Amino acid sequence: LSPAYIFTVVVLLLLDWNHRTPTGPSIEPMYILLCNLSLHDLIGITALVSQITLSVIGIRRYSAICHPLRYHSIMSKSHSD
């Protein structure tokens, strides 16, 4: 799921959460569950992206330290042998 989709679900749930009926607020357990699931998905996506970013940075540093003379050819898009 994309972060924009999750954000939209959370906003719509919060807007509906504030909708009042004659008997009081219309808070149902389903809305709480959907809101929590959406927020947890958003947190999970953020954690995954940060781990991937750290992995890429680690690979680049490893290449720069262990293979300093070949670093440019390793990191370039075209590999000419």
Side-chain angles (χ1 to χ4, degrees), residues 34-56:
L34 288 175
C35 189
N36 282 334
L37 286 175
S38 297
L39 288 174
H40 283 99
D41 283 345
L42 190 60
I43 292 169
I45 289 171
T46 305
L48 178 66
V49 169
S50 66
Q51 285 181 347
I52 291 172
T53 304
L54 288 175
S55 298
V56 169

Side-chain angles (χ1 to χ4, degrees), residues 4-79:
Y5 173 77
I6 295 169
F7 179 75
T8 304
V9 169
V10 170
V11 168
L12 290 175
L13 287 172
L14 290 175
L15 288 174
D16 193 43
W17 188 311
N18 290 328
H19 177 70
R20 298 197 176 265
T21 60
T23 58
S26 62
I27 301 172
E28 296 180 16
M30 177 185 67
Y31 291 142
I32 296 171
L33 175 70
L34 288 175
C35 189
N36 282 334
L37 286 175
S38 297
L39 288 174
H40 283 99
D41 283 345
L42 190 60
I43 292 169
I45 289 171
T46 305
L48 178 66
V49 169
S50 66
Q51 285 181 347
I52 291 172
T53 304
L54 288 175
S55 298
V56 169
I57 291 171
I59 291 169
R60 291 187 70 151
R61 286 186 180 176
Y62 170 80
S63 299
I65 292 170
C66 295
H67 305 286
L69 299 177
R70 294 182 48 217
Y71 176 74
H72 182 69
S73 65
I74 291 172
M75 289 298 146
S76 66
K77 290 183 181 179
S78 63
H79 295 286

